[in-house]
Amino acid sequence: MNLDQALDTFVNESRELLADMEEALLNIEHTADRADAVNAIFRAAHTIKGSAGLFGLDHIVDFTHVVESVLERVREGAVGVDGELVALMLACNDCIGRLVEQTAGGGEPEADLREQARELLGRLSAYMPQAQAPVQAQAQARGDDGGRDAAAASDSDHWHISLRFHEGVLRNGMDPLSFLRYLQRLGRITGVACHTGRLPALADMDPEACYLGFEIGLDSSADKATIESTFEFVMDDCAIRIMPPRSRVSEYVGLIGDLGEEPSLLGEMLVHCGSLTRHELDEALVTQRKAQSLAPLGEILIEQQCVAEPVVAAALSKQRQVKEQKAQEGQSIRIDAAKLDHLIDLVGELITAAAGASLAAARSGNAELQESNSQVEALVESVRHSTLQLRMVKIGATFNRFRRVVHDVSRALGKDIGLVVRGEDTELDKTVVEKIGDPLTHLVRNAMDHGIESAGQRVACGKPAHGTITLNARHDSGHIVIEVSDDGGGLDRERILAKAQEKGLIDGGRDLSDAEVYKLIFEPGFSTAPQVTDLSGRGVGMDVVRRNIEALRGSVQVASRLGEGTTVTVRLPLTLAIIDGFQVGVGRSRFVLPLDMVDECVAYTAEGGQNYMDLRGKVLPFIRLREMFDLPGTPAARENIVVVHNGGQRIGLVVDTLLGETQVVIKPLSRLFAHLRGIAGSSILGSGEVALIVDVPALMAQAAESSQEHSSEAGGPQFSTSSPETGRGQAPRVG
Amino acid sequence: MNHVSTLRLEGELTIYCAQETRQQLQQALAGMDTHAAPTLEIDLSGVVEADTAGMQLLLAARRQAQALGGEVALKDCSPAVAEVMALLGLAPYFDAQGAAGQIFGQEAS
């Protein structure tokens, strides 16, 4: 792994850690057991700091260090967790994220980021005792504690670390130097003494093996786990003993005895490190000699084991964590999205080619060829399914992002709003997930800003002061349905109508259904908010939301009850690349209907002139595709109706022939045809013919509009586009 | 000091050239006159990079010289060497700057 790759890994890992940190921060106010969450946050900050240190990214290290110090105090219980601190930490989380993005490549942070970091550091310092003097303050506190048994405790108030490296450590690419350098970041190294006892003569040594050991005195406010984590990477390659500040002298005696090296020499080293005074050492050595004469390797060693136990246990659990992590990593791999897209393109071509092959096989009349072709087709179908599955991601990650949005916005608005997430395991195509983020953000913000009332109003209406936004996802016949609901005041029909008339969006006096009225909020330039806040009214309106969703072949609907809340329902196709289609023919043109929307096919039995029929006792309106797309030729003697549904509505499409199920790869129409309504895309059939994919929801909307506008006219709905040349969809005739 | 011979090490004093450095040190030590309390002076002014493995070689050379009744002295440590020596707490082993800092000079060997 070269340095660039290592840096990439660092950036990716930092992103993940920051996401974990954010989640823990958002959860912390609602969990009973905060210790775990605090630890998770601390671990994230600490790991980023540590990795950044390895790359020499000082901006990140310096900033994260202060964040970590404050978290440390939270962990100690010296600072309580409140909304203020959570908001500050979230801001720090963002700042670290930006620092990582901007400086990982070795660059300098931009001026505004530096400014932001400075401001955050200022706010953080408020959580540090006596204007950023953690070391002294803690030393002071320890001094008070330790005063009671001062006689037994060493006078030193720093950590003592005893390291014995195994021979392989250098060959494994670790140099004790780097750990010493890192320790300097944790605090001041008061002294280092090097053990050379195991070093053989020059002639006998392996120059690439490590024979050294070190005694290190470290004056630091970091805790044991932090210090220990410095050595995380060499846990297997060295023996570590970490002694806390003010360890009892007898524990140092234990250390001296345990290491089994020349006691006086080791003692000198401890003095050199400042961990023991000479007087303490002399006493200790006397104690040790006494102990040895009474019970060789007796009490002292037992005591040593007690001392060593936590360190050993910690080391073991750390190794276990690392192993578990590795196991988890083994279960998933990261793939460049572009490679995946390429694969899907190829699968698309494969489907077209396979369809062509089976068509040719059918023509040849060779039974064996047809048999093997049908096997190939079945396999291609599985491959397509698996490939698309690769792109499927759970929507949970997207939903969880909104916890942050809701948290921040509710603070900004001064409203007490919580987020409830349902159906987070619902899967959908990655490209759809990426594109749905912005519209959803807008819907959520809108619901918080305009939907949910202020706490005072809510209480006055007899509702709980705590407002709730609900995000819900579920699958529905090849689509994913995402609902954004709030339990706010609901849409005010009269106000919307008044506003729409004022803006000239509708004529006065027309009777509109509730759904039609609510739809008006998606019109460009429509906003009922009495005052424009900094959250909404920033030029991105609901009309943009609708446009974005429609660009994804989706639709959006609103349901609302005054005083009870509003639900915005977004329907999106699961995937944008390949669909199961139902092929129909009109004259010589081929059309494909999304199979998920097809309910049934019935023979055309209506009398001429009418555009509805009786389907088992229910009225079924229908559209003649021949008229809709102005196709030449006369209808066949026996026409068929394909019954399609979308969003709770059913409609019939009159076609000449039914050609059966087919898989089609959607090719977007060229921009020349982008304004065409009723056609979602094109596809190349196995025979080489071009088929147009019918945009059923658009067709339905069109039918609904034109049935209102031309209710007196007989015949099918017409395109309302202005230019006659481009307005009419001409189905290409091939062959 | 009776017999002083000088060895100049240059470039890297790291694990990457540890084998070569050991040979150089071995040859220098083999050339010493063991009857005359010889001193091997190692000139480190030209060392641009040093690590633990490199320092360990110097320690081993010193140990071998002492076994022969001689001594190893470091001369003109470059900043890179001085930094690593300070970090690893090796100053007491080498009378590098002429200071009498030999706390562990009498270690058992």
mmCIF file of all heavy atoms in Angstrom, chain A residues 139 142 153-160 218-224 227 242-248 251-252:
data_model
loop_
_atom_site.group_PDB
_atom_site.id
_atom_site.type_symbol
_atom_site.label_atom_id
_atom_site.label_comp_id
_atom_site.label_asym_id
_atom_site.label_seq_id
_atom_site.Cartn_x
_atom_site.Cartn_y
_atom_site.Cartn_z
ATOM 1 N N ALA A 139 -3.525 17.324 37.836
ATOM 2 C CA ALA A 139 -2.437 16.992 38.738
ATOM 3 C C ALA A 139 -2.802 17.453 40.135
ATOM 4 O O ALA A 139 -2.571 16.755 41.126
ATOM 5 C CB ALA A 139 -1.145 17.659 38.278
ATOM 6 N N ARG A 142 -5.285 15.115 41.627
ATOM 7 C CA ARG A 142 -4.633 13.877 42.056
ATOM 8 C C ARG A 142 -3.841 14.105 43.320
ATOM 9 O O ARG A 142 -3.790 13.281 44.198
ATOM 10 C CB ARG A 142 -3.706 13.373 40.958
ATOM 11 C CG ARG A 142 -4.453 12.814 39.777
ATOM 12 C CD ARG A 142 -3.566 11.868 39.018
ATOM 13 N NE ARG A 142 -4.210 11.557 37.735
ATOM 14 C CZ ARG A 142 -3.912 12.195 36.621
ATOM 15 N NH1 ARG A 142 -2.990 13.138 36.611
ATOM 16 N NH2 ARG A 142 -4.525 11.889 35.514
ATOM 17 N N ALA A 153 2.937 6.503 48.259
ATOM 18 C CA ALA A 153 2.953 6.766 46.835
ATOM 19 C C ALA A 153 4.235 7.464 46.401
ATOM 20 O O ALA A 153 4.836 8.205 47.160
ATOM 21 C CB ALA A 153 1.749 7.627 46.463
ATOM 22 N N SER A 154 4.586 7.214 45.176
ATOM 23 C CA SER A 154 5.752 7.884 44.634
ATOM 24 C C SER A 154 5.412 9.355 44.436
ATOM 25 O O SER A 154 4.267 9.726 44.283
ATOM 26 C CB SER A 154 6.119 7.229 43.303
ATOM 27 O OG SER A 154 6.352 8.204 42.332
ATOM 28 N N ASP A 155 6.411 10.191 44.472
ATOM 29 C CA ASP A 155 6.163 11.616 44.334
ATOM 30 C C ASP A 155 5.906 12.017 42.885
ATOM 31 O O ASP A 155 5.484 13.130 42.618
ATOM 32 C CB ASP A 155 7.356 12.426 44.854
ATOM 33 C CG ASP A 155 7.280 12.519 46.373
ATOM 34 O OD1 ASP A 155 6.184 12.306 46.906
ATOM 35 O OD2 ASP A 155 8.314 12.804 46.997
ATOM 36 N N SER A 156 6.198 11.135 41.993
ATOM 37 C CA SER A 156 6.065 11.525 40.596
ATOM 38 C C SER A 156 4.594 11.553 40.228
ATOM 39 O O SER A 156 3.815 10.708 40.658
ATOM 40 C CB SER A 156 6.792 10.531 39.697
ATOM 41 O OG SER A 156 6.032 9.360 39.615
ATOM 42 N N ASP A 157 4.190 12.541 39.429
ATOM 43 C CA ASP A 157 2.793 12.584 39.032
ATOM 44 C C ASP A 157 2.689 12.344 37.539
ATOM 45 O O ASP A 157 1.940 12.977 36.840
ATOM 46 C CB ASP A 157 2.164 13.922 39.421
ATOM 47 C CG ASP A 157 2.918 15.078 38.824
ATOM 48 O OD1 ASP A 157 3.947 14.827 38.173
ATOM 49 O OD2 ASP A 157 2.479 16.229 38.991
ATOM 50 N N HIS A 158 3.509 11.462 37.030
ATOM 51 C CA HIS A 158 3.360 11.141 35.616
ATOM 52 C C HIS A 158 3.331 9.633 35.421
ATOM 53 O O HIS A 158 3.595 8.860 36.332
ATOM 54 C CB HIS A 158 4.478 11.785 34.789
ATOM 55 C CG HIS A 158 5.842 11.435 35.249
ATOM 56 N ND1 HIS A 158 6.687 12.346 35.810
ATOM 57 C CD2 HIS A 158 6.494 10.256 35.244
ATOM 58 C CE1 HIS A 158 7.821 11.750 36.125
ATOM 59 N NE2 HIS A 158 7.727 10.494 35.795
ATOM 60 N N TRP A 159 2.967 9.274 34.200
ATOM 61 C CA TRP A 159 2.852 7.869 33.847
ATOM 62 C C TRP A 159 4.238 7.279 33.671
ATOM 63 O O TRP A 159 5.166 7.965 33.254
ATOM 64 C CB TRP A 159 2.092 7.714 32.543
ATOM 65 C CG TRP A 159 0.691 8.174 32.618
ATOM 66 C CD1 TRP A 159 0.244 9.443 32.476
ATOM 67 C CD2 TRP A 159 -0.456 7.378 32.865
ATOM 68 N NE1 TRP A 159 -1.104 9.490 32.618
ATOM 69 C CE2 TRP A 159 -1.580 8.227 32.847
ATOM 70 C CE3 TRP A 159 -0.649 6.007 33.093
ATOM 71 C CZ2 TRP A 159 -2.861 7.766 33.064
ATOM 72 C CZ3 TRP A 159 -1.932 5.548 33.287
ATOM 73 C CH2 TRP A 159 -3.026 6.429 33.288
ATOM 74 N N HIS A 160 4.315 5.996 33.944
ATOM 75 C CA HIS A 160 5.559 5.317 33.615
ATOM 76 C C HIS A 160 5.235 4.174 32.662
ATOM 77 O O HIS A 160 4.352 3.360 32.922
ATOM 78 C CB HIS A 160 6.233 4.775 34.867
ATOM 79 C CG HIS A 160 7.561 4.164 34.525
ATOM 80 N ND1 HIS A 160 8.695 4.925 34.427
ATOM 81 C CD2 HIS A 160 7.886 2.899 34.200
ATOM 82 C CE1 HIS A 160 9.692 4.127 34.048
ATOM 83 N NE2 HIS A 160 9.226 2.901 33.910
ATOM 84 N N LEU A 218 6.143 9.808 31.312
ATOM 85 C CA LEU A 218 5.290 10.647 30.469
ATOM 86 C C LEU A 218 4.382 11.491 31.351
ATOM 87 O O LEU A 218 3.579 10.958 32.109
ATOM 88 C CB LEU A 218 4.450 9.766 29.548
ATOM 89 C CG LEU A 218 3.458 10.508 28.647
ATOM 90 C CD1 LEU A 218 4.189 11.295 27.583
ATOM 91 C CD2 LEU A 218 2.481 9.538 28.014
ATOM 92 N N ASP A 219 4.532 12.785 31.221
ATOM 93 C CA ASP A 219 3.675 13.692 31.973
ATOM 94 C C ASP A 219 2.515 14.048 31.058
ATOM 95 O O ASP A 219 2.665 14.804 30.112
ATOM 96 C CB ASP A 219 4.489 14.945 32.343
ATOM 97 C CG ASP A 219 3.673 15.874 33.209
ATOM 98 O OD1 ASP A 219 2.488 15.571 33.448
ATOM 99 O OD2 ASP A 219 4.224 16.892 33.653
ATOM 100 N N SER A 220 1.357 13.454 31.327
ATOM 101 C CA SER A 220 0.246 13.634 30.392
ATOM 102 C C SER A 220 -1.069 13.529 31.139
ATOM 103 O O SER A 220 -1.183 12.813 32.136
ATOM 104 C CB SER A 220 0.304 12.546 29.316
ATOM 105 O OG SER A 220 -0.918 12.508 28.615
ATOM 106 N N SER A 221 -2.063 14.235 30.631
ATOM 107 C CA SER A 221 -3.387 14.150 31.249
ATOM 108 C C SER A 221 -4.217 13.063 30.581
ATOM 109 O O SER A 221 -5.372 12.868 30.909
ATOM 110 C CB SER A 221 -4.104 15.493 31.129
ATOM 111 O OG SER A 221 -4.180 15.850 29.768
ATOM 112 N N ALA A 222 -3.639 12.387 29.612
ATOM 113 C CA ALA A 222 -4.376 11.326 28.912
ATOM 114 C C ALA A 222 -4.639 10.173 29.873
ATOM 115 O O ALA A 222 -3.956 10.019 30.881
ATOM 116 C CB ALA A 222 -3.550 10.836 27.727
ATOM 117 N N ASP A 223 -5.653 9.373 29.556
ATOM 118 C CA ASP A 223 -5.925 8.236 30.431
ATOM 119 C C ASP A 223 -5.197 6.995 29.913
ATOM 120 O O ASP A 223 -4.554 7.009 28.876
ATOM 121 C CB ASP A 223 -7.426 7.976 30.570
ATOM 122 C CG ASP A 223 -8.032 7.513 29.256
ATOM 123 O OD1 ASP A 223 -7.281 7.448 28.259
ATOM 124 O OD2 ASP A 223 -9.239 7.240 29.232
ATOM 125 N N LYS A 224 -5.331 5.941 30.691
ATOM 126 C CA LYS A 224 -4.554 4.754 30.395
ATOM 127 C C LYS A 224 -4.868 4.197 29.007
ATOM 128 O O LYS A 224 -3.973 3.823 28.249
ATOM 129 C CB LYS A 224 -4.853 3.699 31.450
ATOM 130 C CG LYS A 224 -3.948 2.500 31.361
ATOM 131 C CD LYS A 224 -4.032 1.716 32.642
ATOM 132 C CE LYS A 224 -2.987 0.632 32.673
ATOM 133 N NZ LYS A 224 -2.813 0.071 34.013
ATOM 134 N N ILE A 227 -3.166 6.140 26.307
ATOM 135 C CA ILE A 227 -1.733 5.862 26.211
ATOM 136 C C ILE A 227 -1.528 4.473 25.606
ATOM 137 O O ILE A 227 -0.704 4.277 24.716
ATOM 138 C CB ILE A 227 -1.080 5.974 27.606
ATOM 139 C CG1 ILE A 227 -1.178 7.415 28.094
ATOM 140 C CG2 ILE A 227 0.360 5.489 27.560
ATOM 141 C CD1 ILE A 227 -0.703 7.628 29.496
ATOM 142 N N ILE A 242 2.185 -0.289 31.766
ATOM 143 C CA ILE A 242 1.909 1.132 31.953
ATOM 144 C C ILE A 242 1.525 1.350 33.402
ATOM 145 O O ILE A 242 0.602 0.709 33.904
ATOM 146 C CB ILE A 242 0.769 1.596 31.023
ATOM 147 C CG1 ILE A 242 1.187 1.391 29.568
ATOM 148 C CG2 ILE A 242 0.430 3.052 31.273
ATOM 149 C CD1 ILE A 242 0.093 1.656 28.574
ATOM 150 N N MET A 243 2.245 2.210 34.070
ATOM 151 C CA MET A 243 1.948 2.459 35.470
ATOM 152 C C MET A 243 1.398 3.870 35.601
ATOM 153 O O MET A 243 1.979 4.825 35.105
ATOM 154 C CB MET A 243 3.219 2.330 36.305
ATOM 155 C CG MET A 243 4.027 1.153 35.869
ATOM 156 S SD MET A 243 4.631 0.037 37.086
ATOM 157 C CE MET A 243 4.616 0.841 38.590
ATOM 158 N N PRO A 244 0.260 3.993 36.262
ATOM 159 C CA PRO A 244 -0.370 5.307 36.385
ATOM 160 C C PRO A 244 0.427 6.228 37.294
ATOM 161 O O PRO A 244 1.283 5.777 38.055
ATOM 162 C CB PRO A 244 -1.736 4.987 36.989
ATOM 163 C CG PRO A 244 -1.585 3.682 37.639
ATOM 164 C CD PRO A 244 -0.520 2.935 36.911
ATOM 165 N N PRO A 245 0.139 7.522 37.221
ATOM 166 C CA PRO A 245 0.818 8.466 38.091
ATOM 167 C C PRO A 245 0.582 8.082 39.548
ATOM 168 O O PRO A 245 -0.479 7.558 39.889
ATOM 169 C CB PRO A 245 0.134 9.795 37.766
ATOM 170 C CG PRO A 245 -0.450 9.617 36.421
ATOM 171 C CD PRO A 245 -0.805 8.177 36.318
ATOM 172 N N ARG A 246 1.542 8.336 40.360
ATOM 173 C CA ARG A 246 1.455 8.067 41.805
ATOM 174 C C ARG A 246 1.185 6.599 42.085
ATOM 175 O O ARG A 246 0.417 6.256 42.973
ATOM 176 C CB ARG A 246 0.378 8.935 42.455
ATOM 177 C CG ARG A 246 0.679 10.379 42.291
ATOM 178 C CD ARG A 246 -0.129 11.297 43.140
ATOM 179 N NE ARG A 246 0.488 12.621 43.022
ATOM 180 C CZ ARG A 246 1.389 13.072 43.847
ATOM 181 N NH1 ARG A 246 1.790 12.348 44.870
ATOM 182 N NH2 ARG A 246 1.915 14.260 43.671
ATOM 183 N N SER A 247 1.776 5.760 41.310
ATOM 184 C CA SER A 247 1.705 4.345 41.652
ATOM 185 C C SER A 247 2.480 4.157 42.947
ATOM 186 O O SER A 247 3.380 4.923 43.257
ATOM 187 C CB SER A 247 2.369 3.502 40.569
ATOM 188 O OG SER A 247 1.612 3.532 39.394
ATOM 189 N N ARG A 248 2.100 3.151 43.666
ATOM 190 C CA ARG A 248 2.832 2.909 44.912
ATOM 191 C C ARG A 248 4.239 2.438 44.595
ATOM 192 O O ARG A 248 4.475 1.770 43.574
ATOM 193 C CB ARG A 248 2.089 1.871 45.755
ATOM 194 C CG ARG A 248 0.940 2.512 46.522
ATOM 195 C CD ARG A 248 0.126 1.480 47.218
ATOM 196 N NE ARG A 248 -0.480 0.585 46.246
ATOM 197 C CZ ARG A 248 -0.801 -0.671 46.521
ATOM 198 N NH1 ARG A 248 -0.538 -1.173 47.700
ATOM 199 N NH2 ARG A 248 -1.365 -1.420 45.599
ATOM 200 N N GLU A 251 4.747 -0.999 43.632
ATOM 201 C CA GLU A 251 4.436 -1.424 42.263
ATOM 202 C C GLU A 251 5.648 -1.278 41.359
ATOM 203 O O GLU A 251 5.863 -2.073 40.452
ATOM 204 C CB GLU A 251 3.242 -0.625 41.720
ATOM 205 C CG GLU A 251 1.945 -1.085 42.362
ATOM 206 C CD GLU A 251 0.755 -0.228 41.981
ATOM 207 O OE1 GLU A 251 0.920 0.690 41.156
ATOM 208 O OE2 GLU A 251 -0.327 -0.496 42.528
ATOM 209 N N TYR A 252 6.421 -0.240 41.630
ATOM 210 C CA TYR A 252 7.672 -0.105 40.869
ATOM 211 C C TYR A 252 8.611 -1.250 41.221
ATOM 212 O O TYR A 252 9.312 -1.786 40.366
ATOM 213 C CB TYR A 252 8.336 1.241 41.151
ATOM 214 C CG TYR A 252 7.659 2.386 40.438
ATOM 215 C CD1 TYR A 252 6.867 3.289 41.128
ATOM 216 C CD2 TYR A 252 7.808 2.539 39.063
ATOM 217 C CE1 TYR A 252 6.229 4.325 40.480
ATOM 218 C CE2 TYR A 252 7.173 3.566 38.401
ATOM 219 C CZ TYR A 252 6.383 4.471 39.108
ATOM 220 O OH TYR A 252 5.761 5.479 38.456
#
